[in-house]
Amino acid sequence: MAFLDRFRRGSRVRMSRPTGGQRTGSTTVRAADRVDEQHLHEFVEARRGVEGFVEPRTAVSEVTLLLVAHDGEWTRRRVPSVAWAHDFANKHQVPSYDAAVVGVPQRMRDYNSRIKAERRERGL
């Protein structure tokens, strides 16, 4: 069988779809789970000045919650829904924003630049 035979109309060979997970366009994404929730909880508890940025579903990922600490350190995890993300932030007394509206804070980009410069200095 030639490679392009898979894509020709009328071909008897069909590509199977992946099992499990949700399909988003042509990709399958992992759903949020308890490990993601636990990581977000630990991040909020261990840092001060945390803000939440709820990122909408895209073609390649589900809804995510981006948490950014006062110094720019950040983490991002999948969450079940936009409402869940805002509820999580409210329960942990973390202000939350829609990232599609306000963007991400400059301190996060500054943090990434600092980390990148430190790695360059160490030769990594």
Side-chain angles (χ1 to χ4, degrees), residues 8-112:
R8 291 190 182 122
R9 291 185 186 259
S11 173
R12 292 184 181 206
V13 178
R14 298 282 181 213
M15 296 178 71
S16 62
R17 290 186 172 191
T19 58
Q22 289 184 313
R23 289 190 57 80
T24 305
S26 63
T27 62
T28 301
V29 295
R30 180 182 64 82
D33 58 18
R34 296 287 289 162
V35 174
D36 294 326
E37 182 180 351
Q38 183 64 31
H39 176 80
L40 294 170
H41 176 75
E42 290 171 2
F43 188 88
V44 168
E45 294 297 318
R47 290 153 185 87
R48 64 183 178 87
V50 176
E51 293 180 313
F53 297 86
V54 181
E55 299 172 317
R57 180 174 179 245
T58 67
V60 295
S61 71
E62 289 299 313
V63 177
T64 57
L65 177 58
L66 172 69
L67 296 176
V68 183
H70 78 285
D71 63 351
E73 184 181 2
W74 60 275
T75 190
R76 174 185 287 125
R77 291 294 185 271
R78 291 175 182 92
V79 295
S81 68
V82 170
W84 187 96
H86 286 293
D87 287 343
F88 175 89
N90 289 338
K91 286 177 189 172
H92 291 87
Q93 299 178 344
V94 170
S96 62
Y97 312 97
D98 289 323
V101 176
V102 300
V104 296
Q106 182 63 44
R107 68 180 183 276
M108 178 183 152
R109 290 187 287 275
D110 294 343
Y111 175 83
N112 289 341

